[in-house]
Amino acid sequence: MKHKHPSQPTYDEKKTGFSRRDFLATGLALPAGTAALMSSPARLAAQSAAGKLPELDIAEWSFFWTGVHRVDLGNGPVVNGQQMYVEYQIPAKVRYPYPIVMVHGGGGQGTDWMCTPDGRRGWSTLLLEQGYMVYIVDRPGHGRSPYHPDLHGGWPGPQLLEQISGLFTPQRANASAGGGFGGGAGKGKGGAPKGAPAGPPPYSNASMHNQWPGTGAVGTRELAQLVAGQGGRYSAGPGTGPDVQVKVWQDDGAEMLDKIGIPSIIMTHSAGGPFGMYLVETRPKLVKGLVVVEGATGSALTQQNRWGLISLPMAYDPPVSDPAELKTVQVQPTPQDAAIGVGPYNIQAEPARKLKNWQNTAVAVYTAEASFVNVNPGAVAFLKQAGVNATELRLKDLGIHGNGHAMMLEKNNRETLKPITDWIEKTIPAKGAPVRQKASTKVGESTAMKLADQGHFWVGYEQKAVQGGNMLAGQTFVQYLKPAKKRSQYPIILVHGGAGQGTHYLGSMGNAGWAHFWVQAGYDTYVIDRPGHGRAVYHPDALGEIVPVFNYASITADFKRAAQEPNRRWMGTGDVGDPAIDQFQAGQNSTPRDNALAQKYWARGAGELLDLIGPSIVMVHSAGGPWSWLAANERPGKVKAILNVEGGGAPFAQGNEWGLTVAPLAYDPPVASATELKTTDVAAANGAPAYKLQAGPVRKLKNLQGIPIAYVVAERSGRNAVPVVEFLKQAGCDATALNLKEKNILGNGHFMMLETNRKQVFDTIKGWLETKVKVV
């Protein structure tokens, strides 16, 4: 079934009746998804230059999902789409005892907090520098919390460059580009289609916006980097109302706080603003503070916020059983606020009830000078009247000028963060705070790293004209970690398998994974989310139809094999109900049906990444295997070694028309079409299955010559190295079968990077690599 999406309304209140408040409440295009694509390899290298940035001494870096529940859609159990991804970093020296939980806005993801579009450190890393524990959320249906129409309903409209440009970046520059706020007229790169509506109209204070790192015009790199992470949405499915969505937020957030285990401070942005308020009601003892940054809280005691500032019940003293019992009076804004567009707001009629669960939670409502979101004195007035320690912080009043809605992404993001940390430490003192229990420091389990720098960016996208404007298509997400003590001259690029995402390399259940081991070994490490997976947002207008949501049966057989005795390698039972399986399955994305289009974008992203970071080692897994051949083919000489862990299918099997890929590879002598590659059958023998090789005269894989290639196979995965290795050798490649069983490493399955002996497997692969490539 092909899933359709509704058209997305434009932000034109006069023509559509779609107000700024509606925009915030629905989260159609919020908030600034961020990224860090540097303009050149030199700039990327300069980011980590000695003495340029504070070193990051990290005791723990890991992740988990909350809200992992199962539902049967007719083909066996699947994760029901309510899961929420949480990534965390704990500094080695914790200076402030309460963790900061960072919750993104409407259409974005946790990357909003991690980097700026021009490559500087984002608020999460700046907090880490200062000794804060940081937890970063991808709300359900956003980023690494997968969205699927089988679970959530139809797709939202694509995120348009023109729409984001008109709200999050300086409109003066956009207007001067021609064609309204969306760039030049006519179809093609840099402009909207002819006759398409322009971006959002100017808001009254737009002329003050001067802190965006660039012009923000359509066609600029920093706008593309912002929009590349946009597009998430959460719905509980057809026929469900908004209260179902926020109840999922509340339940997932409560589980997260329980797992953190000590009181935290919730920092929210934009349409994520109410998230922390729902948590105060359900876990009042675990929320020490709320920092509402440009939050979509709206006015109190309205139809939308019928219980106060949220739509779910709030506990009052004296108690109320129905929000209709809360009587209101309307307050007129001050003349100064009325002059900037603040309207009347509601508070309780006296005698006012107290918010029972909020008495030990401090709240700051934080707003920028040049944002399309207005200041919100009404929310603070309502909270204060209800006995809450609430403060309104306006950047303008603090002498910080020129910021828009996404102040954490802008040129002065260090300056805009400081009033928040000052408020936190003044208002929520550390004395008497509980101490967080430290994680394991055992070799093979410790996630500790000392970094010169970390960040992320997107590569490989192209601009595509669609109804209403332009979208991005085919972006690859890249998260990088640069060790403080660099040992390898070549970076390592880690590419996940078929339905997964980069989390496959980040360990499981809080223990270290191969990404940690590469960093700890001194390699600059780049972790990929392929197009349409994880933080590389999927949309059908970019990547075509999606396959049905993946069920547990697609992976449990392999995990059960690895869980068998003797030499048990999986940590749990390997079956439905195994907590480790739930955590794995929560991150499984469905994949695009158009494999040729997907591989086109793999090749494009690989080439751009290699241009950016220079010659590298590539490690791939499973259905991500063709990425390695495409990378080497795309940038001859820039792939120094390939570590292919049970990657891809057999040569010339379905989907491998070009030998090991569906996308074209360069052969010598050249071929214009895959049909020119004639094959011959090889019979099954010595445990290897039947397979195909080239029939004579044999052509060489032109751009893979001289690259050391290890094809790694495990004992219990059912994979066999012979077909791929023999095909590569026939094509003139330096290929080796690295069979773990022959190394006396027994019991492993297909996901060996997650199994109990993953460090032993890693050391074996790295040992082979360093006999083939001089990395030091």
Side-chain angles (χ1 to χ4, degrees):
M1 176 181 178
K2 188 169 183 177
H3 301 280
K4 296 182 179 180
H5 60 81
S7 61
Q8 181 170 320
T10 59
Y11 181 71
D12 189 332
E13 188 173 343
K14 291 182 179 178
K15 292 182 179 180
T16 68
F18 191 57
S19 70
R20 289 174 186 150
R21 183 175 298 171
D22 295 330
F23 183 93
L24 289 166
T26 58
L28 283 169
L30 285 169
T34 178
L37 182 56
M38 294 67 176
S39 58
S40 68
R43 181 172 181 181
L44 184 63
Q47 280 282 329
S48 299
K52 173 120 180 167
L53 293 168
E55 185 177 290
L56 303 171
D57 191 354
I58 299 171
E60 298 177 47
W61 171 52
S62 193
F63 70 96
F64 56 87
W65 275 274
T66 64
V68 184
H69 308 294
R70 293 182 288 274
V71 65
D72 195 328
L73 298 182
N75 64 337
V78 301
V79 177
N80 73 352
Q82 294 179 1
Q83 67 267 37
M84 184 176 80
Y85 176 78
V86 183
E87 185 171 331
Y88 61 92
Q89 291 187 318
I90 311 298
K93 294 181 180 179
V94 175
R95 191 182 63 80
Y96 184 77
Y98 298 113
I100 311 295
V101 177
M102 311 184 82
V103 183
H104 63 85
Q109 52 178 300
T111 51
D112 297 353
W113 305 102
M114 293 163 59
C115 274
T116 66
D118 58 340
R120 291 170 293 110
R121 291 179 175 180
W123 277 7
S124 64
T125 300
L126 300 184
L127 287 167
L128 191 69
E129 285 180 9
Q130 297 173 50
Y132 289 88
M133 298 174 278
V134 177
Y135 289 75
I136 304 170
V137 164
D138 284 357
R139 296 196 329 260
H142 295 255
R144 283 180 167 163
S145 302
Y147 183 100
H148 198 287
D150 291 351
L151 301 167
H152 302 110
W155 294 97
Q159 203 66 266
L160 301 181
L161 291 161
E162 291 79 6
Q163 220 166 18
I164 298 301
S165 175
L167 290 174
F168 297 102
T169 69
Q171 294 205 7
R172 299 185 312 282
N174 297 340
S176 68
F181 301 108
K187 287 189 176 183
K189 189 171 182 179
K194 289 181 179 179
Y203 45 95
S204 61
N205 50 345
S207 62
M208 302 178 186
H209 192 185
N210 57 24
Q211 292 291 352
W212 180 254
T215 68
V218 174
T220 58
R221 184 177 295 275
E222 76 278 358
L223 177 67
Q225 285 292 297
L226 184 152
V227 177
Q230 294 287 294
R233 190 181 86 157
Y234 177 74
S235 167
T240 58
D243 286 356
V244 176
Q245 170 181 327
V246 295
K247 185 63 170 68
V248 170
W249 288 7
Q250 188 175 61
D251 292 345
D252 285 0
E255 185 181 343
M256 171 187 66
L257 291 174
D258 291 343
K259 188 170 181 65
I260 293 172
I262 58 175
S264 302
I265 295 165
I266 314 297
M267 182 185 294
T268 62
H269 181 229
S270 193
F275 188 99
M277 301 180 184
Y278 289 104
L279 298 192
V280 177
E281 283 300 321
T282 193
R283 291 294 186 273
K285 293 182 180 179
L286 291 178
V287 182
K288 291 294 291 185
L290 296 180
V291 180
V292 184
V293 179
E294 290 275 306
T297 53
S299 183
L301 300 168
T302 61
Q303 183 177 1
Q304 177 187 336
N305 292 332
R306 55 192 179 277
W307 280 94
L309 287 173
I310 58 177
S311 61
L312 295 183
M314 301 178 78
Y316 283 87
D317 183 21
V320 296
S321 58
D322 189 299
E325 299 175 43
L326 297 167
K327 305 306 179 184
T328 66
V329 295
Q330 193 174 80
V331 178
Q332 296 299 318
T334 66
Q336 293 84 359
D337 282 352
I340 60 172
V342 176
Y345 52 85
N346 295 329
I347 60 173
Q348 294 184 69
E350 295 292 348
R353 291 172 165 87
K354 303 303 181 186
L355 283 169
K356 182 179 178 180
N357 292 331
W358 291 62
Q359 299 307 302
N360 295 312
T361 301
V363 181
V365 176
Y366 195 51
T367 51
E369 178 183 41
S371 171
F372 67 90
V373 176
N374 217 330
V375 297
N376 194 351
V380 175
F382 166 78
L383 291 171
K384 283 183 173 180
Q385 187 194 33
V388 181
N389 179 5
T391 303
E392 188 178 7
L393 297 174
R394 302 184 185 184
L395 283 180
K396 179 181 179 181
D397 294 343
L398 299 171
I400 301 173
H401 300 285
N403 288 102
H405 184 56
M407 62 186 80
M408 70 287 294
L409 306 181
E410 299 194 317
K411 291 185 291 187
N412 62 340
N413 70 332
R414 285 183 180 267
E415 185 182 13
T416 57
L417 178 61
K418 190 175 186 304
I420 294 177
T421 56
D422 287 347
W423 175 86
I424 287 173
E425 297 191 17
K426 177 182 177 181
T427 311
I428 310 172
K431 186 177 180 180
V435 178
R436 183 183 185 275
Q437 185 176 357
K438 293 183 178 180
S440 171
T441 56
K442 293 180 182 178
V443 174
E445 294 180 3
S446 173
T447 61
M449 303 177 295
K450 290 186 177 181
L451 301 179
D453 199 16
Q454 65 177 2
H456 66 265
F457 50 87
W458 282 268
V459 293
Y461 49 79
E462 61 183 358
Q463 195 166 296
K464 181 179 179 181
V466 294
Q467 183 178 5
N470 287 273
M471 69 179 299
L472 296 181
Q475 60 265 43
T476 293
F477 174 77
V478 185
Q479 186 169 7
Y480 63 88
L481 303 107
K482 294 173 168 290
K485 293 184 178 180
K486 184 174 174 179
R487 177 174 170 269
S488 172
Q489 64 177 314
Y490 301 123
I492 181 88
I493 301 170
L494 305 179
V495 184
H496 63 84
Q501 47 183 296
T503 52
H504 288 184
Y505 291 102
L506 307 189
S508 180
M509 310 300 280
N511 292 321
W514 284 2
H516 300 88
F517 299 156
W518 284 115
V519 174
Q520 291 162 356
Y523 286 71
D524 285 351
T525 301
Y526 293 79
V527 184
I528 298 295
D529 284 355
R530 297 194 328 262
H533 294 258
R535 287 174 165 161
V537 178
Y538 181 90
H539 197 281
D541 287 0
L543 295 170
E545 188 179 353
I546 195 171
V547 303
V549 62
F550 276 83
N551 60 18
Y552 276 75
S554 65
I555 50 98
T556 50
D558 186 83
F559 285 115
K560 283 191 283 188
R561 285 194 296 268
Q564 294 172 1
E565 298 289 358
N567 305 309
R568 183 181 179 197
R569 298 305 185 189
W570 182 248
M571 63 195 79
T573 66
D575 208 343
V576 178
D578 176 351
I581 296 293
D582 282 342
Q583 287 291 300
F584 178 88
Q585 191 68 4
Q588 290 288 89
N589 280 83
S590 294
T591 57
R593 289 191 183 277
D594 190 340
N595 197 29
L597 178 62
Q599 288 195 14
K600 166 196 159 184
Y601 285 125
W602 295 6
R604 183 185 176 109
E608 192 173 324
L609 178 59
L610 289 167
D611 286 345
L612 188 65
I613 67 176
S616 302
I617 298 155
V618 174
M619 172 175 270
V620 293
H621 178 235
S622 193
W627 201 98
S628 59
W629 321 128
L630 293 167
N633 186 72
E634 194 75 10
R635 291 296 185 272
K638 288 192 174 181
V639 173
K640 293 301 180 182
I642 292 173
L643 307 172
N644 195 309
V645 181
E646 302 204 335
F652 299 109
Q654 184 177 5
N656 283 340
E657 289 87 347
W658 285 84
L660 294 175
T661 63
V662 66
L665 296 175
Y667 280 86
D668 184 21
V671 295
S673 168
T675 58
E676 298 178 43
L677 297 169
K678 305 304 180 184
T679 64
T680 185
D681 293 328
V682 179
N686 302 319
Y691 59 95
K692 295 181 182 296
L693 291 176
Q694 291 186 67
V698 172
R699 292 174 165 86
K700 304 299 184 186
L701 281 167
K702 181 180 178 181
N703 295 334
L704 272 70
Q705 302 302 300
I707 301 173
I709 301 169
Y711 192 83
V712 184
V713 292
E715 181 190 22
R716 291 181 179 162
S717 68
R719 302 292 177 106
N720 193 290
V722 170
V724 172
V725 170
E726 290 305 310
F727 168 79
L728 290 169
K729 286 181 175 179
Q730 186 193 39
C733 300
D734 177 10
T736 300
L738 189 54
N739 191 315
L740 297 184
K741 183 178 179 180
E742 293 175 0
K743 300 287 185 181
N744 201 34
I745 300 175
L746 307 176
N748 288 102
H750 185 54
F751 292 94
M752 61 194 80
M753 71 283 293
L754 296 173
E755 294 171 351
T756 56
N757 65 335
R758 59 196 174 280
K759 183 64 165 61
Q760 181 187 21
V761 177
F762 168 84
D763 287 340
T764 300
I765 296 171
K766 185 173 80 74
W768 178 90
L769 170 69
E770 293 183 356
T771 65
K772 292 286 188 175
V773 179
K774 185 178 180 181
V775 299
V776 178

